[in-house]
Amino acid sequence: MESTSTSKTVPPTVVILGGGFGGLSAAKTLANKPVSVTLLDRTNHHLFQPLLYQVATAGLNPADIAQPIRHILRDAGNITVVLAEVSSIDPSSKRLLTPQGRSFTYDYLIVAAGARHSYFGHEQWEGNAPGLKTLEDALELRRRILGAFETAEMAESEEIRRSAQTFVIVGAGPTGVEMAGAIAELARHALAADFRKIDARKTQVILLDAAPRVLPTFAEDLSASALKQLRHMGVDVRTNKTVKELNAEGVTIDGEFIASRTVVWAAGNAASPLARELGAATDRAGRVLVNADLSVPNHPEIYAIGDMASFTHQTGTALPGVSPVAIQMGRRAGQNILAQIDRRPTRPFKYFDKGSMATIGRNRAVADLKFARFGGFLAWLGWLFVHLIFLIGFRNKAFVFLEWAWAYFTYSHGARLIYGAFRPKVSPPGSA
Amino acid sequence: MESTSTSKTVPPTVVILGGGFGGLSAAKTLANKPVSVTLLDRTNHHLFQPLLYQVATAGLNPADIAQPIRHILRDAGNITVVLAEVSSIDPSSKRLLTPQGRSFTYDYLIVAAGARHSYFGHEQWEGNAPGLKTLEDALELRRRILGAFETAEMAESEEIRRSAQTFVIVGAGPTGVEMAGAIAELARHALAADFRKIDARKTQVILLDAAPRVLPTFAEDLSASALKQLRHMGVDVRTNKTVKELNAEGVTIDGEFIASRTVVWAAGNAASPLARELGAATDRAGRVLVNADLSVPNHPEIYAIGDMASFTHQTGTALPGVSPVAIQMGRRAGQNILAQIDRRPTRPFKYFDKGSMATIGRNRAVADLKFARFGGFLAWLGWLFVHLIFLIGFRNKAFVFLEWAWAYFTYSHGARLIYGAFRPKVSPPGSA
C-alpha cells in the first residue's frame, strides 16, 4: 500500500479516490497495466445512483443496485481496494490522510469523490429535507416516506393527517421528477388497499423548482411532455418557486406555507470539499476548473473527474454531473496517466453525448437521443433497457428485471420495510 | 381504535400485541369474525426469523424475508394494524400504554411480544456480542462480519489480522449452527477471490456451547451428524465450554482467551419484560406459566403465546420457542376468544409436533421428521422446501428461491453491502 519513488522495477503508484462511476471507470482502464493502483472509498460498494430513487420508494433492494468494489475488480491483480475515508490531500508531499491518521502516497492521483447536495447556504435544512446520494440516504428517505403513511393512519387530527400525506420534492431535475412520480405511484397503487383510516390515494405530491420548467436541462418540448405526464399522475407541479424557509412543519415558498412532514431535497450539488485542497480554482458548485486533459492546473500528476470537475473546454459551460460524463472522464484520466508514464503527450477530453432520459412513472418517461426526442411508453421502454444494460453484474440485471416485472404486473412495491428508528408524532402540539 | 364495553351492537375488542408468528396466526384466526381487532407491533413488518441468519451473512435481502403486516392482513376488514411500541400493560383497567402516552383498551388481549436474547446476567456483553432477532440485528451483524474482512485486509499487524479473521459464535442451537456454517462458507467461497493481502479461506470460525453437544434439543445421532458436517466445513466446534468474560478484544472460556473482533450471541432467550406485567408467575426465562387453554392465571381475558408462554401441560417441560409452536398457539388463542364470546368453553392447547430441522451449509443439514431422522443432502433439500413453503407471499418465495439458486450455482452471496457506520481498528494499541 505504501509506495515510494518511480523506478525501473517498482511500478508507479496511482491512487484513485472514490469508487463511483468515474473512479471505477478509471480503475478498469488501469486494470492489469504496469501501474500499482489503490482505490479508496468510504463504502465497500459501487452504487448505481440512477436507480437510487427506487430504493428510497421501496421498489428495489439496496443490494440490487450496489456491488462490492473489490468484487468488481477482483480480476485486476494490480488494484488494491481499501475501505477508508480520506480527510485531506496534501499535493506538495503527494499524500492522502485518513481521519485515523493513516496515509497513502501516490505518484499519480485521480480525484473522483463526487458531490453532495447543496442547500445554498441553508445547511440547517438538511435534517428536515434529506437528499439522495447514498444507500443510507435512500433508506432514510424510505423510512420517512413509509413512516409518513403510518403517521397519517394514526393521526389524531385532520391537520396532522393532511401534513403527513403531503410530500414536497424540492428540485425538478431528473431525481426530483423520478421521486415525485414514484411517491405518487406508491400512494395510488401499492399502498391503496393496506390502510383502514386514510385514503392513500388522496396523498398530495408537490414538486417545486425555482426554474420556469421541469427538467430544465432537457429540451423545452420534453419539459412540456414531462409536465403533462406528471400532472396526469396527480403530481402538483409548481415552477418559478423558491424555498424561503424549511422546518419540521413544512416549507414556505414565496409567502405560502405548505404543511408537510416529508420533504425531499433534489436541488443543486456541491462537489466534495476535498476539491478545495488541490490548490486550483473552483466554480460556484465547488468543482475544480480542470485543464483540457482533465489534469488539475499546476498539478499534471492529479486528475479531477466526474462531479468534482468543471470541464468547460467543449461547450463553454460545465458538462452536467451525470454518469456518462464521469465514465468517459475516468477512461480519459486513466489513459492520460498511462501516456505520462510512457512519456507520450496527454490527450484532451472529449465528451460523446449519447443523449439523456428521465423516467416519470409506469409507462412514462422522456428521452432525448440527439437524433430524436420523444416521451411516453417508448421512452419508458428505452429507459428500462438502458438502465438494465448499464447495471453492473448479471445478478443485479436479472434481479432488477424481475423486480420490475413483478411490480409492473402486480402494481406492488416489494421492499416496503421500515427499519431503524421510527418515532411518529401523531398528536397535535400541546396535547398529551 | 378506542373500544368500550361489550354490547349487542359493538363487537368485542381484541388487541394482539406483536406481529410475529404467534400474533399473526391469531390475527388470521380472528380475520373477518365478529370482533374488532387491533394488532400492535413496533415494526411495520412480519419477519420470517428462521432465515434471518441469511440476511446477517449477506445471502438474502431484508425485504426477502419480511412483509408489511398491514399488507398481509389487508383483506381482513375487522383488523386494524398500528405501528406502535407498548411500554406497559394494566390488566386491572384492561389498557395498554405506549411511551408517547397513547392507550389502547381491550376486552380480550393476546400477548405475543416474543423474546430477546439473554446474557444470563452479563447484559454488558451485548454491545460486543449482538444477538439475532430483528432486521436491525441482522444488518448490524452483516456490517460486523463483512467489516471484519475489510479490517483484516488493512491490518497493520498479524495479530490484528488474525483476530479480525476469527469469528466466535456462542451457542450451538439451530441459529448458532446456521451462523457458523454460513460464515465459514462466506469466507471459503464468496469472498475467497476478492482480497489481495489476506487469504479469506484461512478464516477461523469457532462455535461454543456449554452443553456437551451441538443442537442439544435434537436427537443424539443428529447432533453427531451435525458435528461431523460442521467439522468437514472447517468449523472449530468446542462443547462443554462456558463464556467467562467477553469484551471488544475477544472471549475468555475456561481459562483460555480467544482473540476475536466479531462475536455472535446465539445462546439463551428471555421473554419480553411485558410478561412480568400480567400478574402471573414466570419461569426462569421470564415466560408466563400459562393455563392449559393458554390463558393467563386469574385473567381469562388474556392469552400469552409463543416465546412469551411457558406451556408445560403436554410434556411436563416447556415447549420450545419455535415458530410451529407459536403458530399453533396463536390459532388456539384466537379460537378460544371466539369460544368465550359465544359463551362456549375454551379448549386446551395441544401441540402437534411435525419435527425439526437445522441447516448447516451447502448440501448440509439435519432433519428429524419423527418417523425418520437423517442428515446431509436430503435433509438440506427438505429444509429448503419447508422454508420456501412457509415464507409468506408469492413474491418472497420466488425471490428467495432465485437468490438460493443463484448462490448455489455461483458460490456467491448477493447482498455483500456494508452500510451505516464502519470504523476499522487496524493499528495495534498504542501506535499512531
Side-chain angles (χ1 to χ4, degrees):
Chain A
M1 222 165 304
E2 266 71 44
S3 121
T4 51
S5 66
T6 332
S7 78
K8 263 165 204 153
T9 49
V10 180
T13 297
V14 180
V15 170
I16 300 173
L17 178 53
F21 285 107
L24 195 58
S25 158
K28 286 177 172 173
T29 305
L30 296 172
N32 301 314
K33 293 287 188 307
V35 284
S36 169
V37 179
T38 300
L39 189 153
L40 305 173
D41 198 290
R42 60 179 165 193
T43 75
N44 81 328
H45 51 269
H46 168 74
L47 181 64
F48 192 74
Q49 273 186 349
L51 292 179
L52 196 54
Y53 81 97
Q54 296 203 2
V55 174
T57 51
L60 290 176
N61 287 303
D64 294 333
I65 61 161
Q67 272 227 331
I69 298 168
R70 60 171 77 260
H71 187 70
I72 301 171
L73 298 172
R74 68 193 177 284
D75 295 329
N78 66 322
I79 302 182
T80 302
V81 178
V82 179
L83 178 58
E85 201 177 336
V86 168
S87 50
S88 67
I89 304 172
D90 179 9
S92 61
S93 65
K94 297 189 180 180
R95 282 202 318 165
L96 293 89
L97 276 174
T98 74
Q100 290 82 31
R102 295 187 75 200
S103 72
F104 297 88
T105 55
Y106 60 82
D107 299 312
Y108 298 93
L109 173 65
I110 298 177
V111 185
R116 287 288 307 171
H117 281 290
S118 163
Y119 291 82
F120 308 117
H122 298 278
E123 308 309 319
Q124 73 279 13
W125 292 352
E126 184 164 14
N128 292 313
L132 185 63
K133 290 282 185 195
T134 66
L135 279 181
E136 285 86 352
D137 291 342
L139 292 173
E140 173 61 26
L141 277 176
R142 186 200 284 182
R143 187 156 43 230
R144 291 186 186 209
I145 293 166
L146 297 177
F149 290 97
E150 299 290 338
T151 302
E153 175 84 351
M154 284 187 275
E156 290 172 1
S157 79
E158 175 61 15
E159 197 186 333
I160 288 170
R161 189 213 48 76
R162 202 179 310 120
S163 116
Q165 274 190 268
T166 301
F167 296 84
V168 176
I169 292 102
V170 183
T175 300
V177 166
E178 283 158 357
M179 280 298 292
I183 295 174
E185 287 198 334
L186 188 67
R188 278 160 188 67
H189 298 305
L191 298 180
D194 287 4
F195 289 87
R196 294 280 172 268
K197 294 178 193 300
I198 60 166
D199 183 350
R201 286 165 298 191
K202 287 194 177 147
T203 299
Q204 210 186 353
V205 181
I206 301 170
L207 178 63
L208 303 177
D209 205 295
R213 56 190 175 96
V214 299
L215 298 178
T217 61
F218 283 64
E220 280 196 32
D221 54 343
L222 290 183
S223 287
S225 167
L227 177 65
K228 200 175 141 196
Q229 296 181 63
L230 283 163
R231 290 210 165 130
H232 200 267
M233 294 171 71
V235 175
D236 180 355
V237 180
R238 306 192 194 174
T239 47
N240 288 313
K241 299 287 179 196
T242 313
V243 174
K244 302 291 184 202
E245 187 47 52
L246 196 160
N247 58 37
E249 308 301 321
V251 180
T252 305
I253 46 165
D254 305 325
E256 186 194 355
F257 176 73
I258 305 169
S260 167
R261 296 293 177 103
T262 317
V263 182
V264 181
W265 193 263
N269 284 324
S272 161
L274 291 171
R276 287 196 299 266
E277 311 207 357
L278 303 176
T282 52
D283 70 1
R284 288 203 313 168
R287 295 177 293 187
V288 179
L289 300 168
V290 291
N291 293 326
D293 66 356
L294 299 176
S295 66
V296 173
N298 301 319
H299 284 290
E301 78 285 6
I302 305 181
Y303 291 81
I305 62 172
D307 289 359
M308 288 188 74
S310 175
F311 183 85
T312 55
H313 306 266
Q314 188 166 342
T315 61
T317 58
L319 292 176
V322 295
S323 55
V325 171
I327 291 169
Q328 294 177 33
M329 282 182 167
R331 203 177 301 136
R332 172 52 50 212
Q335 287 166 343
N336 279 348
I337 287 173
L338 294 176
Q340 284 179 283
I341 291 167
D342 290 349
R343 304 188 192 283
R344 287 183 283 115
T346 62
R347 285 175 52 189
F349 175 63
K350 190 160 182 337
Y351 175 49
F352 176 53
D353 185 0
K354 292 174 210 158
S356 42
M357 291 176 156
T359 186
I360 297 155
R362 185 184 180 80
N363 301 344
R364 298 177 197 280
V366 291
D368 182 347
L369 304 185
K370 296 294 154 198
F371 60 88
R373 293 201 298 264
F374 47 97
F377 181 70
L378 200 65
W380 180 77
L381 269 190
W383 183 92
L384 291 183
F385 181 75
V386 166
H387 283 76
L388 279 180
I389 293 297
F390 280 95
L391 254 181
I392 289 177
F394 177 79
R395 183 206 164 277
N396 285 5
K397 287 186 213 292
F399 277 83
V400 168
F401 175 77
L402 291 168
E403 294 274 7
W404 284 350
W406 176 260
Y408 189 80
F409 291 110
T410 65
Y411 284 86
S412 75
H413 285 216
R416 296 212 320 268
L417 302 181
I418 302 176
Y419 43 84
F422 167 71
R423 296 272 167 272
K425 286 196 288 181
V426 292
S427 309
S431 76
Chain B
M1 225 163 300
E2 268 69 44
S3 123
T4 52
S5 65
T6 333
S7 78
K8 264 164 204 155
T9 49
V10 181
T13 297
V14 181
V15 170
I16 300 172
L17 179 52
F21 286 108
L24 196 58
S25 157
K28 285 177 171 173
T29 306
L30 296 171
N32 302 313
K33 293 285 189 308
V35 284
S36 169
V37 179
T38 300
L39 189 153
L40 305 174
D41 198 290
R42 60 180 163 192
T43 75
N44 81 328
H45 51 269
H46 168 75
L47 181 64
F48 192 75
Q49 272 185 349
L51 291 179
L52 196 53
Y53 80 97
Q54 296 204 2
V55 175
T57 51
L60 290 177
N61 288 303
D64 294 333
I65 62 161
Q67 273 228 330
I69 299 169
R70 61 172 76 261
H71 187 70
I72 301 171
L73 298 173
R74 68 191 178 284
D75 295 329
N78 66 323
I79 302 181
T80 302
V81 177
V82 179
L83 177 57
E85 200 177 339
V86 167
S87 49
S88 68
I89 303 172
D90 179 9
S92 62
S93 65
K94 298 189 178 176
R95 282 202 318 167
L96 293 89
L97 276 175
T98 74
Q100 290 82 28
R102 295 187 74 199
S103 72
F104 297 87
T105 57
Y106 60 82
D107 299 313
Y108 297 94
L109 174 65
I110 298 177
V111 185
R116 285 290 306 172
H117 280 290
S118 163
Y119 290 82
F120 308 118
H122 297 278
E123 309 309 320
Q124 74 278 14
W125 291 353
E126 185 164 14
N128 291 314
L132 186 62
K133 290 282 186 196
T134 66
L135 280 181
E136 284 87 351
D137 292 342
L139 292 173
E140 173 60 27
L141 278 175
R142 185 199 286 182
R143 185 156 43 232
R144 290 185 187 212
I145 293 165
L146 297 177
F149 290 97
E150 298 291 337
T151 302
E153 175 84 351
M154 283 187 277
E156 291 174 359
S157 79
E158 175 61 16
E159 197 186 335
I160 288 170
R161 189 211 51 76
R162 201 180 308 121
S163 119
Q165 274 191 269
T166 301
F167 296 84
V168 176
I169 292 104
V170 183
T175 299
V177 166
E178 284 158 357
M179 281 299 292
I183 294 173
E185 287 199 335
L186 188 66
R188 278 159 189 67
H189 299 304
L191 297 181
D194 288 4
F195 289 88
R196 292 282 172 267
K197 295 176 192 298
I198 60 167
D199 183 350
R201 285 164 299 191
K202 285 192 179 150
T203 298
Q204 209 186 354
V205 181
I206 301 170
L207 179 63
L208 303 176
D209 204 296
R213 56 192 175 95
V214 301
L215 298 178
T217 62
F218 282 63
E220 281 196 32
D221 54 344
L222 290 183
S223 286
S225 167
L227 177 64
K228 200 175 140 197
Q229 297 181 64
L230 282 163
R231 290 208 165 131
H232 199 267
M233 294 171 69
V235 175
D236 180 356
V237 180
R238 305 192 193 176
T239 48
N240 288 314
K241 298 287 181 199
T242 313
V243 174
K244 304 289 184 203
E245 187 46 52
L246 196 159
N247 57 37
E249 307 302 319
V251 180
T252 306
I253 47 166
D254 305 326
E256 186 194 353
F257 175 72
I258 305 168
S260 166
R261 298 289 179 105
T262 317
V263 182
V264 182
W265 193 263
N269 283 324
S272 161
L274 290 170
R276 288 197 299 267
E277 310 207 356
L278 303 176
T282 52
D283 70 1
R284 287 202 312 168
R287 296 177 293 187
V288 179
L289 301 167
V290 291
N291 293 327
D293 65 355
L294 299 177
S295 66
V296 173
N298 302 320
H299 283 290
E301 78 286 5
I302 305 181
Y303 292 82
I305 62 173
D307 288 358
M308 289 189 73
S310 173
F311 183 85
T312 56
H313 306 268
Q314 188 166 340
T315 60
T317 57
L319 293 177
V322 295
S323 55
V325 170
I327 290 168
Q328 294 178 34
M329 282 182 165
R331 204 178 298 136
R332 172 50 53 210
Q335 287 166 344
N336 279 349
I337 286 172
L338 294 175
Q340 283 179 285
I341 291 167
D342 291 349
R343 302 186 193 285
R344 289 182 282 114
T346 61
R347 286 174 54 187
F349 175 63
K350 191 163 183 331
Y351 175 49
F352 176 54
D353 184 359
K354 291 172 209 159
S356 42
M357 291 175 156
T359 186
I360 297 155
R362 186 183 179 80
N363 302 344
R364 298 178 197 279
V366 292
D368 182 348
L369 305 184
K370 297 296 151 195
F371 61 89
R373 292 201 297 263
F374 47 98
F377 182 69
L378 201 66
W380 180 77
L381 269 190
W383 182 91
L384 291 183
F385 181 75
V386 165
H387 283 76
L388 279 181
I389 293 295
F390 280 95
L391 252 182
I392 289 176
F394 176 78
R395 183 206 164 278
N396 285 5
K397 287 185 214 292
F399 276 83
V400 168
F401 175 77
L402 291 168
E403 294 274 8
W404 285 350
W406 177 258
Y408 189 80
F409 291 109
T410 64
Y411 284 87
S412 76
H413 285 217
R416 296 210 322 266
L417 302 182
I418 302 177
Y419 41 84
F422 168 72
R423 295 271 169 273
K425 285 197 289 181
V426 293
S427 308
S431 76

